[in-house]
Amino acid sequence: MKSPDGILPTVRTHLPDPGSVPAKEEDAGAAPSSHGTEAAPTSTPRRRPGRGWRIALLSVLAVFLVLTLAAGGLALWVRHSIASGIETIANPFAGIATRAPQQSVPAGQEPATNILVLGTDSRTSASDPSQWEEGAQRTDAIMILQVSGDRKTVSVMSIPRDSWVDIPGHGQGKINAAYSYGGPSLTIHTVESLTGIHIDHFAVANFESFVALTDDIGGVRINLKTPQTIAGQEFGAGPQTLNGTQALAYTRERSSLPGGDFDRVKRQQTWMRSIVSRVLANGTLSSPTQLYSFLKTATRTVAVDESFTINQMQSLALGTRHLRSNDIKFMTVPTAGTGTSADGQSIVLLDVDADAPLFQAFAEDRVGVYLAENPDAVELLPATVN
């Protein structure tokens, strides 16, 4: 089968329509709890700790960054090589009755590009229809990755998986239940309804290539806040280089962290920042051998919507060719703490007043301006995390 641009092979997948997948009973989760907060009951799926979003985000960023630096014959070779490893999902936007409005821009200007990035806890192929099981694939991480219209910055906003939101057609529930209820389509619908941000593209992945990806680039450099044991090895405080197995253990840790899942999200973002910095600095982009190995690993478990063609990726990449790691801002939506739903689930309560202007800034491609004018409104990823 050929891709939408008629050149490169793809794998098309038909996932369940919104509302077609029943949810299974959910445990209370591991988020910290507070007392006296009630919310409408829901039934959401049981899930394992989040693992996969790092691969999806890295794959998207890597493709953007790498394609622009692969010149001449290498560019064509890279295009065909990575295209053969990227799975595509049949139009997940079809059937969504109400969409968030597209950004309006003056003539001659480009709107921002918004990519909804999910990580699932499934060990199956990201989009192989033969491996799809009702209620089996769930998302443990939800992020909006925005490339600004001027292509000078990238903003990554995480939405906690246990955020208590309205899920169209299903009432209130944890936002990660949307994927189990209705796959990518319902998840996109839920995120757009919550944020008012128009989603242009969709990416989903599992965690299988995490270890190999980190080892492919020679490990990642992470600044540890305290001495700690990671994957059975003792590390002191300060900058440390972690291999794939150690990086995976670092990002999976939750129980020993004072902020629980919130701190784990920061660790995941720290890993991502370290990956991007390493790729930009260690010669991966200028070495055909390293480039090929890295891209084949990065794209092995990622799936994107069928409209996100290799031509579109390269076009977007050309605009971001001067992007550096410090041009990428990581943040988590402001929350009002944690609570307990009426049926006993541990949930995250979003801070509606603080979230509204941030969501609007994303919708209008004003994230940089908003953060500059409101430096205390959103906590950006610090240099060192718990």
Side-chain angles (χ1 to χ4, degrees):
M1 181 179 299
K2 292 189 176 183
S3 68
D5 59 14
I7 299 175
L8 303 171
T10 58
V11 179
R12 300 183 62 176
T13 301
H14 297 278
L15 298 178
D17 293 328
S20 66
V21 182
K24 297 181 181 179
E25 185 177 358
E26 166 91 1
D27 60 3
S33 62
S34 61
H35 300 288
T37 303
E38 293 292 323
T42 188
S43 177
T44 52
R46 177 176 294 274
R47 73 278 188 274
R48 295 187 294 273
R51 306 173 177 118
W53 68 265
R54 291 131 350 221
I55 308 305
L57 176 58
L58 177 60
S59 299
V60 174
L61 286 178
V63 169
F64 293 166
L65 295 171
V66 171
L67 285 177
T68 62
L69 301 180
L74 178 60
L76 182 62
W77 174 71
V78 169
R79 282 168 55 89
H80 283 79
S81 295
I82 67 172
S84 65
I86 299 176
E87 299 177 14
T88 61
I89 299 171
N91 189 0
F93 303 99
I96 301 178
T98 305
R99 297 292 310 279
Q102 291 183 306
Q103 179 192 349
S104 177
V105 297
Q109 294 186 18
E110 292 290 334
T113 299
N114 301 312
I115 305 168
L116 180 61
V117 182
L118 303 185
T120 73
D121 66 1
S122 171
R123 293 174 182 263
T124 64
S125 172
S127 69
D128 184 350
S130 67
Q131 299 188 47
W132 178 274
E133 295 181 12
E134 293 185 353
Q137 289 182 312
R138 309 178 259 285
T139 178
D140 275 321
I142 302 172
M143 297 191 310
I144 297 175
L145 183 156
Q146 180 176 93
V147 181
S148 62
D150 62 12
R151 306 309 189 229
K152 293 181 178 179
T153 61
V154 170
S155 302
V156 182
M157 177 173 64
S158 295
I159 303 175
R161 64 184 184 181
D162 292 337
S163 298
W164 195 252
V165 303
D166 289 322
I167 301 175
H170 296 271
Q172 289 189 308
K174 293 183 178 182
I175 194 169
N176 71 343
Y179 193 70
S180 183
Y181 287 143
S185 292
L186 184 57
T187 305
I188 293 168
H189 194 184
T190 300
V191 170
E192 286 196 344
S193 297
L194 171 68
T195 66
I197 301 169
H198 183 87
I199 300 301
D200 299 297
H201 294 293
F202 174 87
V204 61
N206 59 39
F207 73 101
E208 292 176 356
S209 62
F210 182 95
V211 172
L213 188 63
T214 302
D215 288 338
D216 270 353
I217 60 172
V220 290
R221 190 78 165 167
I222 296 201
N223 196 21
L224 301 181
K225 191 172 185 178
T226 61
Q228 52 197 275
T229 302
I230 303 174
Q233 182 171 336
E234 297 291 335
F235 289 91
Q240 303 290 344
T241 299
L242 308 184
N243 63 26
T245 299
Q246 293 159 351
L248 180 61
Y250 172 81
T251 57
R252 279 181 173 176
E253 179 58 35
R254 177 181 58 185
S255 60
S256 67
L257 303 178
D261 272 346
F262 296 111
D263 281 342
R264 186 174 64 172
V265 167
K266 292 178 181 178
R267 283 193 170 200
Q268 293 167 344
Q269 293 178 344
T270 297
W271 176 86
M272 181 54 54
R273 180 173 60 191
S274 300
I275 282 280
V276 174
S277 297
R278 187 80 165 185
V279 169
L280 291 172
N282 73 349
T284 295
L285 302 182
S286 59
S287 167
T289 302
Q290 292 183 48
L291 176 63
Y292 178 80
S293 176
F294 175 77
L295 286 176
K296 293 299 286 186
T297 302
T299 59
R300 190 163 54 219
T301 59
V302 67
V304 299
D305 69 273
E306 63 181 359
S307 70
F308 201 16
T309 66
I310 200 70
N311 287 338
Q312 286 195 338
M313 292 181 191
Q314 188 168 29
S315 177
L316 188 59
L318 286 171
T320 58
R321 60 188 178 276
H322 299 302
L323 193 71
R324 294 297 179 261
S325 57
N326 60 358
D327 298 320
I328 305 173
K329 304 299 182 186
F330 294 89
M331 67 201 77
T332 301
V333 298
T335 66
T338 58
T340 305
S341 66
D343 62 349
Q345 297 181 75
S346 180
I347 61 176
V348 172
L349 304 172
L350 297 180
D351 187 334
V352 177
D353 291 337
D355 291 341
L358 177 62
F359 293 159
Q360 184 177 2
F362 266 83
E364 298 176 353
D365 190 15
R366 295 187 301 102
V367 177
V369 173
Y370 176 75
L371 295 177
E373 293 178 348
N374 303 273
D376 298 325
V378 181
E379 181 185 3
L380 299 179
L381 182 67
T384 304
V385 303
N386 287 323

